[in-house]
Amino acid sequence: MDDGVEVQNLAGSISRSLSRASRRMEEVLSSGLVHSMSRGSNAEQDEEALKWAAIEKLPTYNRLRTSLMASFMEGEQQEHRFVHTEVDVTKLDVNDKQKFIDNFLRVAEEDNEKFLQKFRQRIDKVGIQLPKNEVRFEHLTIEADCHVGTRALPTLTNAARNTAESAIGKIGINFAKKRKLTILKDVSGIIKPSRMTLLLGPPSSGKTTLLLALAGKLDPSLKVQGDIAYNGYKLDEFVPQKSSAYISQNDIHTAEMTVKETFDFSARCQGVGTRYDLMLELARREKAAGILPEADVDLFMKATSMEGVKSNLITDYTLKASQMPVWWEWAYWVSPLTYTYNGLSVNEFYAPRWMNKTASDGVSKLGAAVLQTYDIYQNENWYWIGVGALAGFAILFNVLFTLTLAYFSPPGKPQAIISEEETDEREGESSKGKPRLAASENKREMQSWPNPTGKSRHDEVVTGVAPRRGMVLPFNPLAMSFDCVNYYVDMPYLFVDQVMELVELDNLKDAIVGLPGITGLSTEQRKRLTIAVELVANPSIIFMDEPTSGLDARAAAIVMRTVRNTVDTGRTVVCTIHQPSIDIFEAFDELLLMKRGGRVIYSGPLGQHSHRMIEYFEAIPGVAKIRERYNPATWMLEVTSTATEVRLGMDFAEYYKSSSLYQRNQALVRELSTPPPGATDLHFDTQYSESMWGQFKSCLWKQWITYWRSPDYNLVRLLFTFCCAIIIGTIFWDIGSKKENATDMTAILGALYVSVLFAGINNCSTVQPVVAVERTVFYRERAAGMYSSLPYAIAQVIVEIPYVLLQSSYYSLIVYSMLSFEWTAAKFLWFFYVTFFTMLYFTYYGMMTVSLTPNHQLASVFAATFYALFNLFSGFFIPRPKIPKWWVWYYWICPVSWTVYGLIVSQFGDVTDTIKLPGSNQFPRIKDYLDDHFGYKSDFMAPVAVVLVAFPIFFAFLYAFCIKNLNFQNR
C-alpha cells in the first residue's frame, strides 16, 4: 500500500471512529476509560478521551504510528486552552518537533527528570520488565609482554631491533627479552543490572583494561585467562557490541558533521532495535487494561520507535538537553593505469582514419607504428578490455577497503614505559599476595594534603607532619587587579629537580611523554607535567584552565595537591574547575563565580568550610538553604542557575553589584592599582631569558631528542627510501648501459626522473604531520615566552639535514649501481649532490605547506596540487622547447625541472656516442640530441648546482617566515 492511500485510510478511520465515539460514550467508559474521564469533566479532557478512543480503534500498525500532540491555543475573550491533534509520528515536520520540544522541556534541567519519571511509570504500570544484562567475570587474568627501562624507549635503534626480533620470532627463534606485566590478576565479580557501579583504583590499576575486557574490546595481543559472561553467555557466543557500549576517554567524531547530524547518523545506524517491540507490547497491554497514556510521553515513545524517520525526535530532545624486466612484468598487468593507457592509446591510434596515413619516409602505417613503438597490443578490443578492467579495479579496491576497515586495526600499539624497579616491585606484590609501595609512592601517600591555611589537615600521619615543598629561587610576589573588563568575540638543573619533586614527577623523569590518550604519560601525569614546565620559568602568578578535567577523584586530588604545593611557595594560582568535589573546592581560598554572558555574581573569600560564600548566597531572599554535609560547590551552582533566576525573578549579577562585598572589592582594586611608595617598575632587560644563540641550542637539542625518539617517522621514511631504491633499481635494471636509440634515452630520462621524485614526494608527505604536531607545542611554548620563532624554525630545519643526508647516501649508491651508470667519481658525486638537495627541498617544501595551512590535512591537499604542476613542467613529459612561450616561465621556477636537468646533464652531457632516431637515417651524438630535443646544454651545470641549493633555502625561509607571522590557533 503506497503512502497516499495509507494516509487516506488513516484519516478516514480516525473520522469514523470519532463519530462512533460520540454516540457510544457508554461503551468507551465500560472499556476502561472511566479512570481517565474521572480526572475532570471539562471539555478538554472529554475531547482528549474521545480522540484516544478513536486511536484505540485503529489497526495495530496505524495505532503505533498515531498519537496526540497538545498545542496551547489563545482564543477570543482571553480563553486559553490545550488542543489535542492527531498526528502521524513518522511525518512530523520541523515545526511540529520544535513545538513539542518547546512545550515539553521549558526548563530542561527540571523537566528532563520529570519526563524520565513519567517514562518509567508508564512501563511499570503495565508490568513490563525492560531487558537487563547481568555481567559476570570469574578469575579474570590479563597479561602483556613488554620491554622495560630504556629498552622500551621508542628510539630508532630500539624500533629496528623490535622489527628484526619480531620477524625472526615468526620462524620460532626468539631473541626478544620481554617482561611479563600482569594488568589484572584473578579478578572476579558481578555487574548487577539496574545498578550504577563505581570502578575505582589508582592509575595503572587496570580500570580501563577491565572495562575493555567486559565490553569485548581488548587488544588481541594481550593474554587473557578466565571467563566473562552476559546472562550466562560467553563473549564468543554472541556479539557484545550489540549489548554494551564502551565510551572512551577520547571524544572522536566527524568534524564536518553538526551535532544533530551526528546524533541522527548514530540513530540511523543503530536502528530502533527493541524499542518497536517494546512499544507494541506496551500498546497491547495498555489497551487490555484500559489505560490511557499521557500524550507527550506517548508521542515521544512512538516517534522514537518507528523506522523510516529522516530525523529522529530523540536527536532534538538530546540537543535541547620504461622496458620492464621480466621479474617486474606482473606489476604491469596488476596496475590500473596499464588498462587506462592501453585503452586510450588503442582508441586514439588504432582508428580507420590513421590506417591510410603513412610516414614521410615510406615506413608502416602511423597508428600501428605508434602502438608498436610502445609495445601496445594492436587490437581494437583493448579499449573495452581497459574499460572492463578499470571497473573491476574499482570494485576490488572498494571491497579491499571495506575488509581492511572490518578486520584490521591501526599499526602499532601503545608501549608503557615502566622502570625495572617498578616492575620488580609490582611482580613482587603479585607473587606475595600483599600490597607494596615504592619508596617514593609510600612517602607521597603518607603525606597529607595541606588546607588553605597552609597547615596539615591532620596533626600527624604515620611518619609525622607533612613537610611543605618549596623552591630554591626567590621571586617577587605580584598582585593583579582588573576593573570593568569587557571581552568581545565576533561570532562566525637544581631548580629543575626541585620543580620535579614539587609536582611529584621525580619517579617518572625517564618516562616518555607520548601522545595524549594514546601513549606515554597518563592524563593526570600530563597535567602535572604541564604545571611543571610553567613553574620552571619561576612565575609569580599562574593561571590554570581545567587542571582536573578528565581525571578521576584520586588523580584530581593529586593534581590539586600539586597546585596547593605551588601556592605554599608563595605564588598566586587562579584555576577554573568544572564541578569540583568538596575536598578540592574547600582547598581554595578565594572564589570568582561568573554566569552565562561573562558577568560576575560573586568575588570574595570562601572561608572555613566555605561559610563566607554560603552566608552570602543564603542571605538572598528565596535561595534554598544548604543541606547538611552537602557539597557547597554543587549547591552554589544549583542556587545560581538560570532556572533559579527565572523562579526568583532576579539577576544575581545585579544583586552582586549592589552588595557591600562589591564595594569592598572595588576599594581593594583602587588600592592595589596604586603602587606603594618607593616601588620600582617591573622591568626586564630582554624579552626572553636566553639569548638567540642559547634559544637555538635549546631548540636544537629538543628537536634532536624528538627526532631520535620518533621511529614512526624517521625509521619509516628511511625504510621506504630503501624499498623505493630497490624497486627502481630492479625495474630499470642496467638501463644506463643501453643507449642505442631515442627510445632508450627516453627510458633513461624517465628512470632518472622517477629515481628522486618518489623519495622526494614521500619526504614531503611524511614530514607534514610531524611538523603539524610540533607546531601545536610551539604555539604553547612561544606563548609562555620560552623562545622566539626564529631559533625554533632554524632548529627544525637543521635537524632534518643529517637524516636526509643518510637517506640520500644509500639511496644514491643503490640506484646508481643498479641502473649501471658510468662509474666515475665526478658523475657519482653529481648524482649524489642532485639527489641530496632534491630530497632536502622536498622536505622543506612539506614543512612550508604546513606553516601556510591550519592543519596537515590541508597541507597535504595544497602540496598535492603542486605535485601535478611539478610533473607537468619537469621537462620530461613535455620538453622545454615544446612548451608554449606563455608557459615556459613556469619551467624555470619548477624545482623538479632543475633536478631532471642536473641529472641528465651530469650523466650524459659529455657523451659523444651516437643514437638512432626513429623514422630517420640520422645518427646524432647523445649530447647534441639532448640539446636539440630537450634543451639540455652540457655547460649549464654550474647554474643548476646553485639553483638546487637555493630551493631548499627558499622553502626553509618561507617556513620560518610563516611560522613567525601566521597563527592558526583556535584559542
Side-chain angles (χ1 to χ4, degrees):
M1 180 181 295
D2 57 57
D3 289 343
V5 176
E6 182 180 329
V7 171
Q8 291 177 1
N9 292 343
L10 177 61
S13 178
I14 293 177
S15 178
R16 290 191 300 271
S17 299
L18 283 173
S19 61
R20 288 196 302 267
S22 61
R23 298 190 304 267
R24 298 166 55 190
M25 277 301 297
E26 292 183 357
E27 180 182 349
V28 172
L29 293 174
S30 62
S31 63
L33 300 181
V34 179
H35 174 72
S36 174
M37 298 297 292
S38 63
R39 291 178 296 180
S41 59
N42 55 64
E44 295 177 7
Q45 290 180 334
D46 292 342
E47 180 186 8
E48 180 183 1
L50 288 173
K51 292 184 178 181
W52 275 121
I55 293 175
E56 289 296 322
K57 300 297 182 181
L58 296 176
T60 301
Y61 179 72
N62 291 340
R63 188 170 73 251
L64 292 181
R65 296 172 53 141
T66 309
S67 186
L68 298 182
M69 174 175 284
S71 302
F72 186 74
M73 305 294 293
E74 295 186 4
E76 299 178 356
Q77 299 179 354
Q78 304 297 324
E79 292 181 359
H80 308 306
R81 65 190 187 95
F82 276 100
V83 176
H84 293 83
T85 308
E86 300 89 346
V87 293
D88 186 342
V89 297
T90 64
K91 294 181 173 57
L92 294 176
D93 58 23
V94 177
N95 294 329
D96 291 334
K97 293 178 183 179
Q98 189 62 44
K99 186 189 304 181
F100 172 78
I101 294 298
D102 290 342
N103 291 333
F104 195 28
L105 295 176
R106 291 185 179 88
V107 182
E109 57 194 55
E110 296 179 1
D111 292 340
N112 180 52
E113 181 180 2
K114 295 178 181 178
F115 164 72
L116 294 177
Q117 291 175 350
K118 291 179 181 179
F119 177 84
R120 186 54 187 259
Q121 290 170 1
R122 183 181 184 188
I123 300 294
D124 294 341
K125 192 178 295 184
V126 295
I128 291 181
Q129 294 292 325
L130 294 176
K132 297 178 181 179
N133 277 328
E134 180 185 74
V135 183
R136 295 191 180 188
F137 49 100
E138 297 179 332
H139 308 295
L140 187 62
T141 299
I142 300 177
E143 298 175 341
D145 294 331
C146 62
H147 297 287
V148 296
T150 57
R151 184 64 177 83
L153 291 175
T155 63
L156 293 179
T157 52
N158 283 344
R161 287 180 60 187
N162 293 342
T163 303
E165 290 172 354
S166 176
I168 297 175
K170 299 293 184 181
I171 59 176
I173 303 175
N174 190 4
F175 290 114
K177 295 182 179 180
K178 294 184 178 181
R179 299 288 292 271
K180 184 174 293 186
L181 177 66
T182 303
I183 304 176
L184 294 177
K185 184 176 179 62
D186 197 24
V187 179
S188 300
I190 301 176
I191 307 298
K192 296 182 179 180
S194 302
R195 296 289 188 272
M196 187 165 65
T197 304
L198 177 62
L199 177 59
L200 286 178
S204 302
S205 61
K207 302 186 297 297
T208 301
T209 303
L210 178 57
L211 289 179
L212 289 170
L214 298 180
K217 293 180 176 290
L218 273 181
D219 190 322
S221 63
L222 297 176
K223 299 178 181 178
V224 183
Q225 299 176 359
D227 296 322
I228 300 175
Y230 280 51
N231 291 345
Y233 293 94
K234 295 185 178 180
L235 294 182
D236 57 355
E237 297 177 331
F238 71 107
V239 181
Q241 288 80 5
K242 296 289 187 180
S243 302
S244 64
Y246 174 75
I247 302 176
S248 172
Q249 299 180 33
N250 306 315
D251 305 319
I252 303 175
H253 303 285
T254 303
E256 291 76 14
M257 296 179 69
T258 65
V259 176
K260 185 178 187 300
E261 290 168 344
T262 303
F263 286 157
D264 283 338
F265 175 74
S266 178
R268 293 183 184 186
C269 291
Q270 299 179 43
V272 298
T274 59
R275 291 199 296 270
Y276 182 81
D277 297 332
L278 172 64
M279 197 65 223
L280 185 65
E281 179 64 16
L282 181 63
R284 186 188 66 82
R285 295 195 183 190
E286 285 182 337
K287 183 177 180 180
I291 299 175
L292 292 183
E294 294 192 32
D296 50 6
V297 178
D298 184 75
L299 175 62
F300 182 86
M301 293 184 66
K302 286 180 178 178
T304 57
S305 301
M306 299 301 296
E307 294 280 8
V309 183
K310 286 187 64 177
S311 178
N312 204 315
L313 185 62
I314 198 170
T315 297
D316 304 282
Y317 175 83
T318 308
L319 285 176
K320 180 76 172 181
S322 76
Q323 276 194 355
M324 189 171 295
V326 176
W327 52 85
W328 273 109
E329 189 168 351
W330 61 270
Y332 175 85
W333 295 111
V334 300
S335 171
L337 292 179
T338 297
Y339 299 91
T340 303
Y341 178 66
N342 284 1
L344 292 177
S345 299
V346 170
N347 184 56
E348 291 298 320
F349 293 101
Y350 198 78
R353 65 180 183 273
W354 292 99
M355 301 307 295
N356 296 324
K357 185 174 180 180
T358 59
S360 59
D361 57 355
V363 179
S364 56
K365 290 166 184 159
L366 181 58
V370 172
L371 298 178
Q372 186 175 3
T373 301
Y374 292 96
D375 197 20
I376 298 175
Y377 291 102
Q378 300 177 39
N379 190 322
E380 58 185 2
N381 293 328
W382 258 98
Y383 176 78
W384 300 108
I385 294 175
V387 171
L390 290 176
F393 276 115
I395 296 173
L396 174 64
F397 291 155
N398 275 280
V399 171
L400 292 178
F401 171 71
T402 304
L403 292 177
T404 53
L405 285 180
Y407 297 106
F408 286 87
S409 299
K413 62 177 182 178
Q415 169 66 63
I417 306 300
I418 307 172
S419 64
E420 297 183 6
E421 295 81 3
E422 183 179 353
T423 305
D424 294 337
E425 290 169 353
R426 291 185 64 169
E427 293 304 315
E429 173 187 337
S430 300
S431 60
K432 295 182 181 180
K434 57 183 180 180
R436 291 180 56 188
L437 291 173
S440 59
E441 185 70 14
N442 187 41
K443 174 182 176 182
R444 190 183 320 124
E445 290 298 328
M446 287 191 293
Q447 290 174 345
S448 63
W449 184 9
N451 63 12
T453 63
K455 298 180 181 179
S456 173
R457 288 187 175 273
H458 306 283
D459 293 333
E460 292 183 356
V461 287
V462 178
T463 57
V465 179
R468 283 194 182 186
R469 299 175 184 266
M471 293 284 190
V472 173
L473 298 184
F475 66 95
N476 294 325
L478 300 176
M480 175 177 288
S481 61
F482 52 93
D483 186 24
C484 299
V485 176
N486 292 314
Y487 181 64
Y488 300 96
V489 178
D490 294 330
M491 294 298 292
Y493 309 68
L494 172 63
F495 179 55
V496 171
D497 292 336
Q498 291 206 350
V499 171
M500 194 173 297
E501 182 181 358
L502 179 75
V503 298
E504 304 177 23
L505 285 177
D506 46 309
N507 64 324
L508 293 172
K509 60 183 179 181
D510 296 323
I512 201 75
V513 176
L515 296 175
I518 301 176
T519 59
L521 300 181
S522 66
T523 305
E524 165 258 319
Q525 293 165 345
R526 295 181 71 88
K527 290 186 183 295
R528 284 190 279 148
L529 176 64
T530 303
I531 297 173
V533 296
E534 300 298 341
L535 281 178
V536 171
N538 202 30
S540 298
I541 303 177
I542 303 172
F543 300 95
M544 299 182 184
D545 187 12
E546 297 285 354
T548 62
S549 176
L551 303 180
D552 56 39
R554 182 180 182 276
I558 294 175
V559 171
M560 292 310 301
R561 184 170 64 207
T562 300
V563 175
R564 189 71 239 179
N565 291 337
T566 305
V567 176
D568 288 341
T569 64
R571 286 160 176 78
T572 300
V573 175
V574 180
C575 288
T576 62
I577 296 183
H578 180 65
Q579 293 183 341
S581 66
I582 185 170
D583 291 329
I584 292 178
F585 185 71
E586 292 189 344
F588 287 90
D589 308 300
E590 301 282 329
L591 172 66
L592 177 61
L593 181 61
M594 305 178 73
K595 62 176 291 186
R596 287 185 179 180
R599 303 177 67 191
V600 178
I601 60 178
Y602 181 83
S603 178
L606 279 175
Q608 187 72 17
H609 300 302
S610 307
H611 76 279
R612 299 282 294 274
M613 181 270 294
I614 294 174
E615 290 173 356
Y616 173 85
F617 284 109
E618 285 187 339
I620 301 175
V623 171
K625 306 296 183 183
I626 187 171
R627 301 194 300 271
E628 187 177 357
R629 298 181 181 178
Y630 197 66
N631 187 348
T634 304
W635 172 82
M636 169 197 66
L637 295 175
E638 290 175 351
V639 300
T640 59
S641 65
T642 304
T644 304
E645 285 189 324
V646 173
R647 179 172 57 85
L648 298 180
M650 65 170 296
D651 187 337
F652 284 108
E654 295 297 330
Y655 180 87
Y656 167 72
K657 279 197 170 184
S658 62
S659 66
S660 58
L661 176 63
Y662 175 79
Q663 301 301 327
R664 290 196 300 269
N665 288 337
Q666 289 297 103
L668 184 60
V669 167
R670 290 190 293 270
E671 178 184 345
L672 294 177
S673 299
T674 304
T680 58
D681 292 337
L682 197 61
H683 173 72
F684 298 97
D685 295 330
T686 59
Q687 182 180 358
Y688 301 98
S689 301
E690 290 283 340
S691 63
M692 292 289 286
W693 175 246
Q695 296 174 48
F696 167 73
K697 290 192 298 182
S698 300
C699 290
L700 183 61
W701 172 83
K702 175 195 169 187
Q703 294 293 350
W704 180 259
I705 294 296
T706 302
Y707 269 54
W708 182 247
R709 292 189 179 157
S710 300
D712 290 345
Y713 168 48
N714 286 307
L715 198 61
V716 167
R717 70 167 168 172
L718 292 176
L719 180 62
F720 177 88
T721 304
F722 175 79
C723 295
C724 184
I726 297 297
I727 292 174
I728 291 176
T730 53
I731 290 179
F732 297 102
W733 177 265
D734 198 33
I735 200 171
S737 63
K738 303 171 183 176
K739 304 184 289 289
E740 298 178 357
N741 51 52
T743 303
D744 292 338
M745 290 307 303
T746 302
I748 291 174
L749 182 64
L752 291 173
Y753 169 70
V754 300
S755 64
V756 292
L757 190 67
F758 282 11
I761 291 179
N762 178 70
N763 275 22
C764 179
S765 59
T766 54
V767 78
Q768 288 172 337
V770 175
V771 176
V773 172
E774 282 292 318
R775 182 178 61 177
T776 303
V777 180
F778 159 75
Y779 284 147
R780 180 186 61 79
E781 293 177 341
R782 183 181 63 175
M786 294 185 179
Y787 49 75
S788 61
S789 304
L790 189 59
Y792 166 83
I794 296 176
Q796 181 75 49
V797 166
I798 289 180
V799 78
E800 282 284 351
I801 294 178
Y803 290 93
V804 176
L805 184 63
L806 173 63
Q807 189 181 15
S808 55
S809 298
Y810 68 78
Y811 185 84
S812 299
L813 281 171
I814 295 173
V815 172
Y816 197 88
S817 59
M818 295 183 74
L819 268 59
S820 298
F821 290 132
E822 186 178 352
W823 274 106
T824 64
K827 290 194 174 185
F828 174 76
L829 289 177
W830 271 120
F831 185 89
F832 168 74
Y833 178 92
V834 175
T835 302
F836 169 71
F837 282 104
T838 299
M839 290 186 176
L840 194 63
Y841 75 62
F842 263 112
T843 303
Y844 292 164
Y845 173 71
M847 296 167 58
M848 180 204 70
T849 57
V850 173
S851 67
L852 283 169
T853 52
N855 51 62
H856 79 270
Q857 289 89 352
L858 284 179
S860 300
V861 175
F862 179 83
T865 303
F866 284 89
Y867 293 158
L869 294 176
F870 289 169
N871 283 325
L872 189 61
F873 290 94
S874 63
F876 172 64
F877 295 105
I878 307 177
R880 178 173 58 85
K882 297 185 182 300
I883 297 178
K885 301 302 181 185
W886 53 86
W887 271 113
V888 75
W889 61 270
Y890 197 90
Y891 173 88
W892 295 112
I893 65 171
C894 176
V896 180
S897 67
W898 292 90
T899 295
V900 177
Y901 202 131
L903 289 174
I904 291 295
V905 172
S906 65
Q907 298 302 313
F908 300 99
D910 60 344
V911 178
T912 58
D913 297 344
T914 61
I915 60 173
K916 184 180 184 306
L917 298 181
S920 173
N921 294 325
Q922 299 179 1
F923 293 89
R925 296 185 303 178
I926 291 179
K927 60 180 298 184
D928 296 333
Y929 172 75
L930 294 177
D931 189 359
D932 295 338
H933 187 71
F934 293 100
Y936 294 145
K937 301 185 180 300
S938 57
D939 57 351
F940 203 65
M941 271 308 296
V944 170
V946 174
V947 172
L948 286 176
V949 176
F951 272 118
I953 294 176
F954 174 70
F955 289 141
F957 170 78
L958 283 181
Y959 166 72
F961 178 82
C962 295
I963 278 289
K964 181 178 185 299
N965 295 282
L966 300 181
N967 192 331
F968 294 101
Q969 281 181 304
N970 291 328
R971 295 184 64 183

